[in-house]
Amino acid sequence: MTGTATPLLEVENVRVTFGGIVALDGVSFSVQRGSIAGLIGPNGAGKTTLFNCISRIYQVDTGAIRVDGQPILDTPTHGISSAGLSRTFQNLALFGKLSVLDNVMIGAHARTTGNFVNDALRLFGVRQREAAIRDEAMALLEELRLDGIAGELVAALPFGTQKRVELARALASRPTLLMLDEPAGGLNHDEVEEFKDVVRRIRDERRISILLVEHHMNLVMSVSDQVVVLNFGRKIAEGTPSQVQRDPHVIEAYLGSGNAAGGH
Amino acid sequence: MELFLNQVFSGLATGSIYAAVALAVVMIFLAIDHFNFAQGEMAMFSTFVCWALLDAGTPYWLAFILTIAFAFAFGVVIERVLFRPLHSAPVLSHIIAFLGLFFILNNGAGWIWDFTIKPMPSPFPEGSISGLISYHQIGMIGVVLVMLALLFVFFRFTSVGLAMRAAAQNPESARLCGISVGWMIALGWGMASAIGAVGGMLIAPVVFLEPNMMLGILLYGFAAAIVGGITNPAGAVAGGFMVGVLENLVGTYIPFVGSELKLTVALVLIVAVLMVKPSGLFGRTTVTRV
């Protein structure tokens, strides 16, 4: 076991290019255990690209990403979940034709199945384990107030509810790092307030670290322990919410180089 | 009336085989988005394996089980060796690969077991229930229904089944949930191959065993899959039974069709459904975001 000094997530000098476009240019930062890190930046700054690198959907040109001290860039996408990572998507990536409960049960897949050959061989002795997964999934649904709709098909639910389903699915894998891509998109004011509590509870009660990409500044600034700001693929600032809010580079990135910011 | 019932029952019996073939086609379609033109030949090849086992003195049901195991492994190997490298290749590459597989299996079976027609034994007793439906036909329907029930339980109540459904629906998301989508596809191929083999072994006593025996059956299987909706496994099964009955009734009651033009019925059905209701009776319409 690595010492407590090792951050849970380390992103080191990551560079990603798509053809001639440099999407990420030497980005480095780390997320400490049990903390919430906000990742912000204007549209096109590279936030989602970075997410996709960490979840092994995009290939990194150079640089390293480590979870718990272990490099993950050689892990296949389906191994990410076992490494302790789970995520949600900006535009949702649920299994629309499956029920809410099934979606959440799939989330527990990586944790409960070593490999499918094993599982196929044990097909006839899995009843108990299936029941345990089901109970746990139901408990999660209850916690996120989704238990009333456990049997409904996901595709038929409103967007905000689907976002909660996706969150429940992500939690079902019992991750050590939860990555949320614009979880507040499409939520109304009250729902955002409620979501703040949900995020804090996930960190405090489940001891899960969270990496949060979000445009909703109020949400990011009020829940994050640490904020990383990207612009045009580079990290331009990092620090506590109040430090970042005062940073002239950040103000310039968001408001343009007016004199107020004293930009350079 | 007796003629009508007789035709309906035997339609349901052959329909059960169309249902099995259609289900196999749909399973692979859901996994890789392509029609497997070699599905029938895979089933035929497995049926020959069963025949060879029986010829060597293996008891019927043991040979039946061994053939299912062979067909499953055969399907997995075909996916791993032939189609996995093609998974992002364009449609035409897939069609060529399917046709190549078709001819390799067709001629391979002829080369190994030659092209002469062989009688395939039935595990069920001869005779019939008051001339309406033979014991073999009851057996065909029964075995297919048992197989369908097992599949339903597998997909509905096991985590591997759930993982396979998830992988077919949203591969990327499934990967992030820790599901190895590649192996789920291979598993799908194995199961489709085994389902087809069951169909082949059950129909062989009726159509006799030879390398081209599945040609017409695959065509009806395609028709069944399209009638039922190519995206809906349950629909494909229902389509299979419907096509089986329809084929017999049309052949019996529309004089000029007779038994010679029966195969045309399948083609007419395919074209008609694709023109009038392309998503089939139970399929979902796909909407592409532009």
Side-chain angles (χ1 to χ4, degrees), chain A residues 55 57 77-81 85 87 89 93-98 102 105-107 109-110 113 116 119-120 123 129-130 134 169, chain B residues 154 156-160 162-163 165-167 169-181 183-184 186-187 231 284 289:
Chain A
S55 45
I57 295 175
T77 311
H78 69 259
I80 282 300
S81 180
L85 262 61
R87 69 170 286 182
F89 287 81
L94 288 162
F95 306 108
K97 286 181 69 194
L98 301 184
D102 278 348
M105 284 174 65
I106 291 167
H109 185 88
T113 48
F116 95 91
D119 206 61
L123 262 188
R129 209 163 44 95
E130 292 281 346
R134 192 171 290 266
R169 184 181 71 182
Chain B
F154 173 78
R156 190 69 197 82
F157 297 111
T158 71
S159 57
V160 183
L162 184 59
R165 287 192 287 152
Q169 265 194 46
N170 192 336
E172 202 54 74
S173 200
R175 273 187 200 102
L176 285 168
C177 289
I179 295 167
S180 169
V181 174
W183 275 108
M184 291 303 137
L187 198 55
T231 52
R284 86 187 116 93
R289 200 191 312 197

Side-chain angles (χ1 to χ4, degrees), chain A residues 238-264:
Chain A
E238 181 178 5
T240 63
S242 55
Q243 282 169 347
V244 164
Q245 274 168 315
R246 284 195 304 268
D247 192 296
H249 294 104
V250 177
I251 298 169
E252 184 191 318
Y254 273 92
L255 299 178
S257 56
N259 350 339
H264 55 129

Side-chain angles (χ1 to χ4, degrees), chain A residues 10 32 127 163 178 185-186 199 201 206 218 229 237 247 253 256 263:
Chain A
E10 293 167 277
Q32 300 300 324
R127 180 87 49 83
K163 293 215 121 173
L178 176 63
V199 175
R201 273 216 321 273
R206 297 175 179 270
N218 172 282
V229 191
D247 192 296

Side-chain angles (χ1 to χ4, degrees), chain A residues 6 13 17 26 35 62-63 83 96 113 118 130 135 151 165 183 186 191 197 199 214 239:
Chain A
T6 321
N13 234 342
T17 53
S35 72
T62 56
T113 48
N118 255 343
E130 292 281 346
D135 290 348
V165 176
E191 288 170 329
D197 289 336
V199 175
E214 187 49 73

